[in-house]
Amino acid sequence: MIHTVELSKQIDNDTFNQILSAYFFHGIKLNNYQTNFICTDFSNQGINKITLCRYDKSGNQESVKQHRTYYSILIILNLAKLVGQNDSRISLYQICGFKEIRDRFRKIMSEITSGDIDLQELCNIESYTTRRIDFCCQFKVGDPQLYIYLLNRGKFPSKGKYCNMGYENSCYIVGGKVEDGKIIRHGSITINIYDKQAEMKAAKNHGKGYTAEDLSKAENVLRVEIQAFRRKTIYLKDTYDYPDRCLKHYLNISLAKELFLGYIKEIAGTADYYTHRTLKSKVDNLSTKEVYKSTRNKMSDVLNELNGNAKNRPTLQEYIGSQSGKERRNLKITLKTMDDNGINPIAIPNKINGKVIKISPPPPLQSVYSLIEDYFASKGSTVPTDDQLDEKHLLEEVMTDDEVEEDFIESMSTIK
């Protein structure tokens, strides 16, 4: 279940110049040390972007020779397009095994390198390192905007960010932020949950050529993405004892399931959504054997504080932050008990900004966690993707010295 991957490979000066001179690349100088040269001529074949990176740094580390220049090639792939399974802008990619991806990559890269025998190593996808991989699933729901509203009121880590990405109430994001319509990530992962049609209609996507049919297929689609960056790919390699960071190791449904369920539980909880009245009934119906009466009373108080005042409903994070140290610790224990018993502290409101909320079929409204559980319980060998990704809206990132040392220097001994 992948819709974007970024691969990297160290190259020498001759290879760098040979590729740079063969096609149109536009240069972006990121700082005094690093310049990227970008080509998007092959996006229709699934190679969305080729970046040639030149890094020239005077270093003090023993492993960095003074004034040494290092070169790499970075490739962003749309796997659905690469293997010819992009029937629409909102299409499902069936996991077909690594062989088809490997063979298709070799064929396209052989065309790009014009069959030059000196460049054939560029055609071997297994010689590349995975720097980023985006796991993704999407769902047809009654109202994606309702999910975003509930998520933004609900559970998320204190370091998480949520914002609208330039289209009103349409995105819930953890591990990143948005500036001028561009996603700026931090840390090892970014989690995006958003209304796909609203994202396609956003001003930042004007000019992508979405048709009425494309927008119709995206109607009521809630998309969930986990973008794993370099540090996360290293962590996964070490955790699962992968011999390297070749893409084939990460194309694993069990791995995707573990990441989705683990992170979504952390940022959004597991319990389905109900109305305030139904939630209070669920609490009252808990037996003493399941939950002590004093705890049930605390649970009812939480529900009333979060959902009782229609004009002033705090987010869960605001509510937790308003408690003193001991009260906060006790509140978190209560919240865990609620989640364990399938009671979401955030209720489905009767209205949002004056708009009456109607749910068909009637509640419960499946939580994002429940949607993902059902997704993996089904055949599950599909990945949602579209053929216009947001790479050009991601800021070009400057490599850190650590990245240079790992991605360049340690491999220079293999480059003559």
Side-chain angles (χ1 to χ4, degrees):
M1 18 186 34
I2 316 298
H3 72 66
T4 308
V5 297
E6 181 179 18
L7 309 176
S8 70
K9 180 177 176 62
Q10 295 73 46
I11 57 178
D12 58 25
N13 181 35
D14 290 341
T15 300
F16 180 93
N17 289 325
Q18 195 168 345
I19 297 296
L20 184 64
S21 62
Y23 299 96
F24 174 76
F25 286 81
H26 66 276
I28 300 177
K29 186 171 184 178
L30 301 181
N31 55 27
N32 290 333
Y33 310 123
Q34 183 177 343
T35 302
N36 285 357
F37 299 88
I38 298 168
C39 176
T40 57
D41 290 352
F42 309 100
S43 60
N44 288 336
Q45 300 181 71
I47 297 181
N48 281 20
K49 183 164 71 173
I50 298 175
T51 301
L52 297 176
C53 176
R54 182 174 64 208
Y55 191 97
D56 188 353
K57 170 116 176 143
S58 300
N60 296 320
Q61 304 172 50
E62 292 182 2
S63 58
V64 181
K65 295 182 179 180
Q66 294 289 329
H67 306 293
R68 182 69 180 269
T69 301
Y70 303 98
Y71 304 91
S72 72
I73 181 170
L74 309 178
I75 297 179
I76 291 179
L77 298 177
N78 178 329
L79 294 184
K81 196 184 299 184
L82 183 73
V83 299
Q85 294 185 1
N86 55 313
D87 296 331
S88 71
R89 305 290 276 273
I90 302 292
S91 59
L92 293 176
Y93 166 68
Q94 303 229 348
I95 294 176
C96 54
F98 188 68
K99 182 179 184 299
E100 185 173 358
I101 293 172
R102 181 191 63 201
D103 293 347
R104 182 62 179 164
F105 182 86
R106 180 178 295 279
K107 180 177 185 299
I108 296 173
M109 288 299 294
S110 293
E111 295 172 0
I112 292 174
T113 59
S114 301
D116 191 321
I117 193 170
D118 293 331
L119 301 178
Q120 287 310 292
E121 187 63 16
L122 295 179
C123 306
N124 178 13
I125 197 171
E126 295 184 68
S127 69
Y128 288 76
T129 295
T130 304
R131 287 177 53 89
R132 167 189 165 194
I133 182 165
D134 293 0
F135 299 91
C136 172
C137 52
Q138 65 187 11
F139 311 95
K140 277 281 189 179
V141 297
D143 184 359
Q145 300 289 337
L146 177 58
Y147 274 96
I148 303 304
Y149 171 86
L150 294 169
L151 287 166
N152 280 336
R153 287 202 60 231
K155 181 179 180 180
F156 63 93
S158 58
K159 293 183 180 180
K161 304 287 184 183
Y162 62 92
C163 47
N164 62 26
M165 282 186 65
Y167 41 98
E168 186 177 2
N169 301 324
S170 298
C171 185
Y172 176 87
I173 181 171
V174 175
K177 60 182 180 178
V178 173
E179 291 183 4
D180 299 326
K182 299 178 180 180
I183 302 173
I184 302 174
R185 57 94 170 175
H186 63 80
S188 61
I189 64 120
T190 294
I191 303 167
N192 306 307
I193 305 175
Y194 60 96
D195 179 338
K196 181 57 185 173
Q197 188 187 67
E199 185 259 354
M200 292 169 69
K201 289 180 176 179
K204 73 183 185 74
N205 288 324
H206 290 172
K208 284 192 173 182
Y210 290 124
T211 65
E213 182 181 2
D214 295 331
L215 295 173
S216 176
K217 289 183 177 180
E219 184 176 9
N220 293 335
V221 170
L222 182 73
R223 176 169 283 191
V224 183
E225 296 175 346
I226 295 179
Q227 298 175 316
F229 298 100
R230 174 181 168 273
R231 274 189 281 168
K232 189 65 179 181
T233 64
I234 294 173
Y235 172 82
L236 293 173
K237 168 187 171 293
D238 294 341
T239 300
Y240 295 101
D241 294 324
Y242 299 153
D244 50 41
R245 284 155 61 200
C246 176
L247 175 61
K248 64 183 177 182
H249 304 306
Y250 301 97
L251 301 181
N252 185 307
I253 290 180
S254 296
L255 172 63
K257 178 180 179 180
E258 179 180 334
L259 291 174
F260 272 114
L261 294 181
Y263 279 117
I264 296 304
K265 180 177 182 178
E266 178 185 351
I267 70 169
T270 64
D272 293 338
Y273 295 102
Y274 295 83
T275 63
H276 187 192
R277 177 180 298 178
T278 303
L279 287 171
K280 289 194 294 183
S281 295
K282 285 174 68 68
V283 171
D284 293 340
N285 291 333
L286 291 172
S287 68
T288 305
K289 291 183 179 180
E290 293 174 307
V291 179
Y292 291 125
K293 183 176 180 180
S294 59
T295 302
R296 295 203 304 271
N297 290 337
K298 292 177 183 178
M299 293 163 68
S300 293
D301 290 342
V302 169
L303 291 173
N304 289 331
E305 291 287 341
L306 287 169
N307 307 289
N309 187 347
K311 294 183 179 180
N312 185 24
R313 294 188 179 109
T315 67
L316 181 56
Q317 195 68 20
E318 290 169 344
Y319 180 54
I320 293 173
S322 69
Q323 308 297 305
S324 64
K326 183 178 180 180
E327 291 173 336
R328 188 179 302 176
R329 289 191 295 272
N330 291 335
L331 173 58
K332 289 183 177 180
I333 293 172
T334 301
L335 291 170
K336 184 180 185 307
T337 303
M338 294 174 72
D339 196 56
D340 290 343
N341 286 276
I343 297 172
N344 198 315
I346 302 301
I348 301 170
N350 294 321
K351 295 181 180 180
I352 299 177
N353 297 326
K355 177 185 175 182
V356 176
I357 301 302
K358 296 181 180 180
I359 299 175
S360 180
L365 177 70
Q366 278 191 285
S367 66
V368 175
Y369 187 91
S370 296
L371 290 171
I372 291 172
E373 274 193 317
D374 288 351
Y375 178 81
F376 282 104
S378 66
K379 295 180 180 180
S381 60
T382 57
V383 56
T385 186
D386 56 13
D387 69 349
Q388 290 286 347
L389 303 175
D390 288 336
E391 280 76 33
K392 70 179 183 180
H393 296 286
L394 288 164
L395 294 183
E396 290 296 317
E397 292 187 76
V398 178
M399 287 187 174
T400 65
D401 287 345
D402 287 343
E403 288 180 311
V404 172
E405 183 171 358
E406 175 172 333
D407 290 347
F408 288 78
I409 298 169
E410 290 181 0
S411 299
M412 286 305 295
S413 60
T414 65
I415 301 175
K416 298 181 180 180

